Amino acid sequence: MSETELRVSKIKDGTVIDHITPGYALDVVKILGITGKEKGPITLAINVPSKRFKTKDIVKIEGRELNPQEVHKIALLAPHASINIIRDYKVVKKQEVKLPKVIENIIKCVNPACISNSNEPVKARFYVDCEDPLLLKCHYCGYIMEKKDVLQRF
Ligand code: CTP
Ligand code: ZN
Protein backbone atom coordinates (compact mmCIF):
# COMPACT_ATOMS: atom_id res chain seq x y z
CA MET A 1 0.00 0.00 0.00
CA SER A 2 1.38 3.42 -0.87
CA GLU A 3 2.47 5.83 1.84
CA THR A 4 -0.16 8.33 0.74
CA GLU A 5 -3.01 6.03 1.56
CA LEU A 6 -4.25 4.62 4.86
CA ARG A 7 -6.80 1.93 4.33
CA VAL A 8 -7.86 1.31 7.93
CA SER A 9 -7.09 3.59 10.82
CA LYS A 10 -4.89 2.73 13.79
CA ILE A 11 -6.48 1.65 17.04
CA LYS A 12 -5.84 2.96 20.54
CA ASP A 13 -6.11 -0.15 22.73
CA GLY A 14 -6.82 -3.70 21.68
CA THR A 15 -5.64 -6.33 19.23
CA VAL A 16 -4.65 -6.28 15.58
CA ILE A 17 -4.64 -9.68 13.90
CA ASP A 18 -2.49 -9.08 10.85
CA HIS A 19 -1.32 -11.25 7.93
CA ILE A 20 -4.45 -13.39 8.03
CA THR A 21 -4.65 -15.77 5.07
CA PRO A 22 -6.69 -13.82 2.50
CA GLY A 23 -10.37 -14.65 2.65
CA TYR A 24 -10.40 -15.79 6.29
CA ALA A 25 -11.12 -12.57 8.20
CA LEU A 26 -14.81 -13.40 8.52
CA ASP A 27 -13.98 -16.86 9.89
CA VAL A 28 -11.54 -15.33 12.39
CA VAL A 29 -14.26 -12.95 13.54
CA LYS A 30 -16.65 -15.87 13.86
CA ILE A 31 -14.33 -18.05 15.95
CA LEU A 32 -13.75 -15.12 18.28
CA GLY A 33 -17.50 -15.01 18.84
CA ILE A 34 -17.80 -11.47 17.51
CA THR A 35 -21.38 -10.73 16.53
CA GLY A 36 -21.17 -7.04 15.72
CA LYS A 37 -23.27 -6.18 18.76
CA GLU A 38 -20.20 -5.33 20.83
CA LYS A 39 -19.56 -1.77 21.92
CA GLY A 40 -16.06 -1.07 20.62
CA PRO A 41 -15.09 -0.59 16.97
CA ILE A 42 -14.07 -3.64 14.94
CA THR A 43 -12.36 -3.15 11.61
CA LEU A 44 -11.97 -5.77 8.90
CA ALA A 45 -9.80 -5.54 5.83
CA ILE A 46 -10.14 -8.31 3.26
CA ASN A 47 -7.78 -9.06 0.34
CA VAL A 48 -5.62 -5.99 0.88
CA PRO A 49 -2.08 -5.82 -0.53
CA SER A 50 0.67 -7.24 1.68
CA LYS A 51 4.43 -6.92 1.62
CA ARG A 52 5.04 -10.42 2.97
CA PHE A 53 2.61 -12.32 0.77
CA LYS A 54 0.54 -10.97 -2.10
CA THR A 55 -2.59 -10.17 -0.14
CA LYS A 56 -3.85 -10.53 3.40
CA ASP A 57 -6.80 -9.92 5.67
CA ILE A 58 -6.67 -7.87 8.88
CA VAL A 59 -8.98 -7.80 11.90
CA LYS A 60 -8.70 -4.97 14.44
CA ILE A 61 -10.58 -5.25 17.69
CA GLU A 62 -10.69 -2.25 19.98
CA GLY A 63 -10.66 -2.98 23.71
CA ARG A 64 -9.98 -6.72 23.66
CA GLU A 65 -6.91 -8.92 24.11
CA LEU A 66 -6.97 -12.60 23.08
CA ASN A 67 -6.41 -15.66 25.26
CA PRO A 68 -4.09 -18.55 24.20
CA GLN A 69 -6.96 -20.79 23.10
CA GLU A 70 -8.25 -18.07 20.79
CA VAL A 71 -4.76 -17.67 19.35
CA HIS A 72 -4.63 -21.43 18.64
CA LYS A 73 -7.97 -21.30 16.88
CA ILE A 74 -6.72 -18.48 14.68
CA ALA A 75 -3.57 -20.50 13.91
CA LEU A 76 -5.74 -23.31 12.54
CA LEU A 77 -7.17 -21.00 9.89
CA ALA A 78 -4.39 -18.49 9.39
CA PRO A 79 -1.00 -20.09 10.13
CA HIS A 80 0.95 -16.94 9.18
CA ALA A 81 -1.07 -14.47 11.21
CA SER A 82 0.54 -12.16 13.72
CA ILE A 83 -1.18 -10.90 16.82
CA ASN A 84 -0.30 -7.34 17.83
CA ILE A 85 -1.35 -6.04 21.21
CA ILE A 86 -1.88 -2.29 21.07
CA ARG A 87 -1.82 -0.02 24.10
CA ASP A 88 -2.09 3.72 23.74
CA TYR A 89 -1.56 3.43 19.96
CA LYS A 90 1.74 1.53 20.33
CA VAL A 91 2.43 -2.12 19.46
CA VAL A 92 3.48 -3.42 22.89
CA LYS A 93 3.58 -7.10 21.93
CA LYS A 94 3.85 -8.93 18.60
CA GLN A 95 3.32 -12.65 18.46
CA GLU A 96 3.35 -14.95 15.43
CA VAL A 97 0.61 -17.55 15.82
CA LYS A 98 1.90 -21.04 16.43
CA LEU A 99 0.07 -24.32 16.47
CA PRO A 100 1.05 -26.77 19.18
CA LYS A 101 1.88 -30.29 17.87
CA VAL A 102 -1.07 -31.68 19.78
CA ILE A 103 -4.40 -29.88 19.88
CA GLU A 104 -6.74 -30.68 22.72
CA ASN A 105 -10.28 -29.55 23.38
CA ILE A 106 -10.31 -26.83 20.74
CA ILE A 107 -12.41 -28.59 18.12
CA LYS A 108 -14.28 -31.86 17.77
CA CYS A 109 -13.72 -34.68 15.31
CA VAL A 110 -15.93 -34.61 12.19
CA ASN A 111 -16.29 -38.38 12.18
CA PRO A 112 -19.67 -38.99 13.84
CA ALA A 113 -18.61 -42.54 14.78
CA CYS A 114 -15.49 -41.30 16.62
CA ILE A 115 -15.42 -42.21 20.31
CA SER A 116 -14.68 -38.56 21.10
CA ASN A 117 -18.21 -37.78 19.84
CA SER A 118 -19.86 -40.41 22.02
CA ASN A 119 -20.89 -39.92 25.61
CA GLU A 120 -17.56 -41.33 26.78
CA PRO A 121 -15.59 -38.82 28.83
CA VAL A 122 -12.72 -38.40 26.34
CA LYS A 123 -11.16 -35.12 25.32
CA ALA A 124 -10.94 -34.36 21.60
CA ARG A 125 -7.28 -34.65 20.59
CA PHE A 126 -5.52 -34.12 17.27
CA TYR A 127 -1.98 -34.28 15.94
CA VAL A 128 -0.93 -31.51 13.57
CA ASP A 129 0.42 -33.42 10.54
CA CYS A 130 0.73 -30.25 8.47
CA GLU A 131 0.13 -26.58 9.27
CA ASP A 132 -0.33 -25.27 5.74
CA PRO A 133 -2.36 -26.78 4.16
CA LEU A 134 -3.83 -27.83 7.46
CA LEU A 135 -3.99 -31.55 8.25
CA LEU A 136 -5.11 -32.69 11.69
CA LYS A 137 -5.17 -36.35 12.59
CA CYS A 138 -7.63 -37.55 15.22
CA HIS A 139 -5.95 -39.41 18.07
CA TYR A 140 -8.91 -41.80 18.41
CA CYS A 141 -10.14 -42.67 14.92
CA GLY A 142 -7.27 -41.50 12.70
CA TYR A 143 -9.59 -39.32 10.62
CA ILE A 144 -7.67 -36.57 8.83
CA MET A 145 -9.38 -33.20 9.11
CA GLU A 146 -8.69 -30.39 6.63
CA LYS A 147 -9.34 -26.68 7.02
CA LYS A 148 -12.83 -27.01 5.52
CA ASP A 149 -13.71 -29.65 8.16
CA VAL A 150 -12.40 -27.41 10.91
CA LEU A 151 -14.47 -24.47 9.63
CA GLN A 152 -17.54 -26.66 9.70
CA ARG A 153 -16.94 -27.45 13.38
CA PHE A 154 -16.55 -23.89 14.63
N1 CTP B 1 -1.64 -1.03 14.12
C1 CTP B 1 -2.88 -0.45 14.43
N2 CTP B 1 -2.98 0.48 15.40
C2 CTP B 1 -1.89 0.89 16.08
C3 CTP B 1 -0.62 0.34 15.80
C4 CTP B 1 -0.53 -0.63 14.79
O1 CTP B 1 -3.89 -0.81 13.81
N3 CTP B 1 -2.05 1.84 17.01
C5 CTP B 1 -1.57 -2.09 13.09
C6 CTP B 1 -0.73 -1.73 11.90
O2 CTP B 1 -1.53 -1.07 10.94
C7 CTP B 1 -0.29 -3.11 11.41
C8 CTP B 1 -0.17 -3.92 12.68
O3 CTP B 1 -0.94 -3.22 13.67
O4 CTP B 1 -1.30 -3.70 10.59
C9 CTP B 1 1.24 -4.07 13.18
O5 CTP B 1 1.83 -2.79 13.34
P1 CTP B 1 3.40 -2.56 13.12
O6 CTP B 1 4.15 -3.56 13.90
O7 CTP B 1 3.66 -1.11 13.38
O8 CTP B 1 3.50 -2.80 11.55
P2 CTP B 1 4.62 -3.61 10.73
O9 CTP B 1 5.97 -3.26 11.23
O10 CTP B 1 4.29 -3.41 9.28
O11 CTP B 1 4.24 -5.09 11.14
P3 CTP B 1 4.84 -6.47 10.58
O12 CTP B 1 6.33 -6.42 10.71
O13 CTP B 1 4.21 -7.50 11.52
O14 CTP B 1 4.35 -6.61 9.18
ZN1 ZN C 1 -11.99 -38.97 15.55
Side-chain angles (χ1 to χ4, degrees), residues 25-76:
L26 294 174
D27 296 303
V28 167
V29 157
K30 188 177 161 204
I31 62 177
L32 294 176
I34 291 168
T35 62
K37 304 287 190 292
E38 294 77 11
K39 280 214 185 87
I42 293 159
T43 317
L44 304 192
I46 298 175
N47 296 331
V48 295
S50 161
K51 272 176 261 168
R52 235 182 264 183
F53 305 103
K54 249 195 186 153
T55 55
K56 64 177 179 179
D57 286 4
I58 311 168
V59 173
K60 301 190 183 194
I61 312 164
E62 189 82 51
R64 174 163 169 190
E65 297 187 6
L66 307 183
N67 66 41
Q69 198 178 19
E70 290 171 327
V71 174
H72 289 154
K73 283 186 181 176
I74 292 168
L76 287 170

Side-chain angles (χ1 to χ4, degrees), residues 109 111 114 116 138 140-141 143:
C109 186
N111 173 9
C114 181
S116 68
C138 178
Y140 300 100
C141 71
Y143 191 96

Side-chain angles (χ1 to χ4, degrees), residues 129-143:
D129 276 359
C130 183
E131 281 194 25
D132 195 9
L134 184 71
L135 294 175
L136 298 181
K137 187 176 181 186
C138 178
H139 168 70
Y140 300 100
C141 71
Y143 191 96

Side-chain angles (χ1 to χ4, degrees), residues 108-151:
K108 291 188 148 189
C109 186
V110 288
N111 173 9
C114 181
I115 189 168
S116 68
N117 286 321
S118 70
N119 288 327
E120 303 295 322
V122 290
K123 291 187 199 169
R125 173 190 255 255
F126 296 90
Y127 303 105
V128 179
D129 276 359
C130 183
E131 281 194 25
D132 195 9
L134 184 71
L135 294 175
L136 298 181
K137 187 176 181 186
C138 178
H139 168 70
Y140 300 100
C141 71
Y143 191 96
I144 308 268
M145 302 222 314
E146 298 173 28
K147 198 141 99 172
K148 64 172 169 38
D149 301 314
V150 170
L151 280 172

Side-chain angles (χ1 to χ4, degrees), residues 1-10 60:
M1 187 160 46
S2 85
E3 292 301 319
T4 57
E5 181 190 357
L6 182 64
R7 203 180 296 268
V8 281
S9 49
K10 302 217 161 204
K60 301 190 183 194

